Amino acid sequence: MIIGVPKEIKNNENRVALTPAGVTEFRKHGHTVYIQTEAGKGSGFSDELYSEAGATILPTIEEVYGIAEMIIKVKEPIESEYPLIKEDQLLFTYFHFASSEPLTHAMIERKAVCLAYETVEKTDRSLPLLVPMSEVAGRMAIQEGAKYLEKPMGGFGILLGGVAGVKPANVLILGGGIVGTQSAKMASGLGANVTIVDISLARLRYLEDIMPANVDTVMSNEYNIRELIKGANLIIGGVLIPGAKAPSLITRDMLKLMKPGTVMVDVAIDQGGCFETSKATTHENPIYEVDGVVHYCVANMPGAVPYTSTLALTNATLPYALQLANLGWKKACENSEELRKGLNVVNGKVVFKGVSDAWNLTYTDVKELF
Ligand SMILES: NC(=O)c1ccc[n+]([C@@H]2O[C@H](COP(=O)([O-])OP(=O)(O)OC[C@H]3O[C@@H](n4cnc5c(N)ncnc54)[C@H](O)[C@@H]3O)[C@@H](O)[C@H]2O)c1
């Protein structure tokens, strides 16, 4: 198959959908790979590295879309890319169709085959192509939190791990899923006192078993959260109710219970945030203060560490991309329920219920495609 990797052109997107290692894998299976010049630059991969791995570098995005049977990307195509997409062309990328009506209509019109990273789903209902970004964001939340706890950055001025004779900081983590677990690992590794709250007792039991001794688990309810925030120095918001807005676990009136200079990192901001006072921020301007409490609410945290994020993402996407290239999308999706769940819009038909419902479009059962 002919694979094309365009350079991401969405604002501040430095990730790339394929690494030189991925090119080597495609080549081994007899595929041809075209990479747009400088596509990997933001993630630290030069054109030379791609060439050495066996890819052909193309100077323009038009040439990449023009030649490829399968386009692998990171973010959804933006408006200037719509006219470049061809009928029957396979697009494998994050789409998030339910949050963009123009994108949905454009992909229907282009009659492309749109396989969305975010809806590829394993039989245990986990989302393998979303997990890596939660892992990155969860780990980063502690790094960012530690930074903004420094006095010159607006924080209380406490070191997460303390030193001999001085107590470490208290880190409170709301939600013990992927984000929460990774945050807890980082914070406990730095020597902080960590508390994870979750509504799932089964999850708390699991975390209690695997976490080191400086991590406690507490059942999530308003009473417990009110008590815990009084002593917290850093609070991480990592709750998720699938398909719904995140619950406001810390309301505005609760801020006055906290110490001035407490830092709150709302990782769940992409689902509306789990602190009432959260509003989305950017890497250029990541924080603001409410009632003396520092809020960090960057909606695309992994974007700040494109090298790590690119490798984490491509480690997860490459095996699926190889299946698609080896078998063609139809056979690959026929064989694999995981991949089939990724199909959203195919040759003008909407085959994902969440997308047809979101925009009042006719739904076609994906099984009708086979
Ligand atoms: N800002 C970013 O850059 C970024 C990056 C990646 C992920 N995210 C977001 O982070 C959030 C968490 O993702 P995840 O992968 O860890 O999800 P997850 O499903 O693995 O974990 C969510 C956890 O929240 C718990 N929970 C639900 N309601 C709760 C409540 N009332 N109190 C306490 N815990 C509760 C669940 O039991 C679950 O354990 C999502 O909204 C995700 O989109 C943001």
Side-chain angles (χ1 to χ4, degrees):
M1 191 182 269
I2 302 172
I3 323 289
V5 181
K7 181 173 164 57
E8 295 297 321
I9 45 181
K10 203 169 171 179
N11 198 13
N12 268 321
E13 182 52 69
N14 284 301
R15 287 174 292 178
V16 61
L18 192 68
T19 62
V23 172
T24 308
E25 290 306 309
F26 274 117
R27 297 280 296 144
K28 249 170 52 191
H29 287 82
H31 306 295
T32 313
V33 184
Y34 290 93
I35 309 263
Q36 188 185 342
T37 183
E38 297 200 337
K41 193 177 172 203
S43 296
F45 301 115
S46 64
D47 287 353
E48 290 68 38
L49 287 175
Y50 284 107
S51 294
E52 283 164 18
T56 304
I57 309 295
L58 290 176
T60 65
I61 193 165
E62 286 79 11
E63 286 162 279
V64 175
Y65 274 96
I67 201 163
E69 294 166 272
M70 167 160 72
I71 291 285
I72 319 181
K73 270 177 61 58
V74 177
K75 295 303 264 188
E76 72 282 359
I78 63 169
E79 214 176 317
S80 61
E81 290 172 286
Y82 297 167
L84 306 178
I85 295 165
K86 303 180 293 187
E87 185 167 347
D88 284 332
Q89 196 165 42
L90 171 60
L91 304 182
F92 190 36
T93 187
Y94 287 123
F95 278 103
H96 297 287
F97 279 117
S99 60
S100 174
E101 193 171 9
L103 174 71
T104 310
H105 284 291
M107 291 307 109
I108 292 171
E109 269 162 38
R110 302 311 298 172
K111 294 200 162 64
V113 178
C114 303
L115 220 145
Y117 289 166
E118 68 275 9
T119 65
V120 171
E121 188 182 307
K122 290 190 178 246
T123 43
D124 64 3
R125 306 211 61 202
S126 63
L127 304 169
L129 304 186
L130 279 183
V131 166
M133 293 305 105
S134 285
E135 289 177 330
V136 171
R139 291 189 172 208
M140 217 182 124
I142 298 301
Q143 193 169 309
E144 294 300 303
K147 180 165 84 193
Y148 290 105
L149 272 174
E150 291 171 13
K151 198 74 181 172
M153 305 301 281
F156 184 76
I158 187 170
L159 192 61
L160 279 187
V163 288
V166 183
K167 280 189 170 180
N170 294 321
V171 177
L172 171 62
I173 299 173
L174 306 179
I178 311 281
V179 165
T181 304
Q182 297 306 318
S183 290
K185 270 189 170 174
M186 299 302 275
S188 58
L190 285 168
N193 277 327
V194 182
T195 307
I196 309 176
V197 306
D198 202 291
I199 36 162
S200 160
L201 201 49
R203 187 69 190 172
L204 292 179
R205 268 196 201 106
Y206 166 75
L207 291 168
E208 186 70 30
D209 273 349
I210 61 152
M211 285 290 163
N214 55 338
V215 178
D216 293 322
T217 58
V218 172
M219 180 46 86
S220 177
N221 58 45
E222 188 182 331
Y223 184 91
N224 286 345
I225 292 172
R226 272 184 187 274
E227 286 305 306
L228 286 164
I229 59 174
K230 291 177 191 163
N233 301 108
L234 171 60
I235 303 176
I236 309 296
V239 305
L240 175 68
I241 301 174
K245 193 205 160 292
S248 278
L249 297 183
I250 296 184
T251 52
R252 180 164 188 145
D253 71 294
M254 289 158 88
L255 299 189
K256 59 180 181 295
L257 301 173
M258 299 182 194
K259 285 194 273 283
T262 299
V263 175
M264 304 209 295
V265 177
D266 201 344
V267 185
I269 189 67
D270 61 340
Q271 300 292 329
C274 58
F275 314 137
E276 191 183 4
T277 42
S278 292
K279 56 175 198 284
T281 59
T282 60
H283 288 295
E284 285 73 44
N285 212 352
I287 58 156
Y288 60 95
E289 200 191 295
V290 182
D291 295 346
V293 173
V294 179
H295 292 55
Y296 174 102
C297 304
V298 175
N300 66 330
M301 294 174 68
V305 288
Y307 173 77
T308 306
S309 299
T310 287
L311 288 170
L313 178 66
T314 55
N315 282 344
T317 54
L318 185 64
Y320 294 106
L322 277 171
Q323 283 180 51
L324 291 166
N326 290 344
L327 300 170
W329 73 266
K330 215 166 189 172
K331 192 95 197 103
C333 291
E334 214 176 336
N335 289 356
S336 155
E337 197 187 338
E338 284 174 42
L339 267 177
R340 199 158 61 238
K341 290 211 162 139
L343 289 171
N344 277 232
V345 178
V346 177
N347 297 135
K349 294 180 180 143
V350 179
V351 296
F352 196 87
K353 194 82 176 74
V355 178
S356 60
D357 285 353
W359 310 122
N360 240 329
L361 296 163
T362 309
Y363 167 70
T364 304
D365 192 322
V366 75
K367 291 193 189 98
E368 287 177 31
L369 300 175
F370 303 101

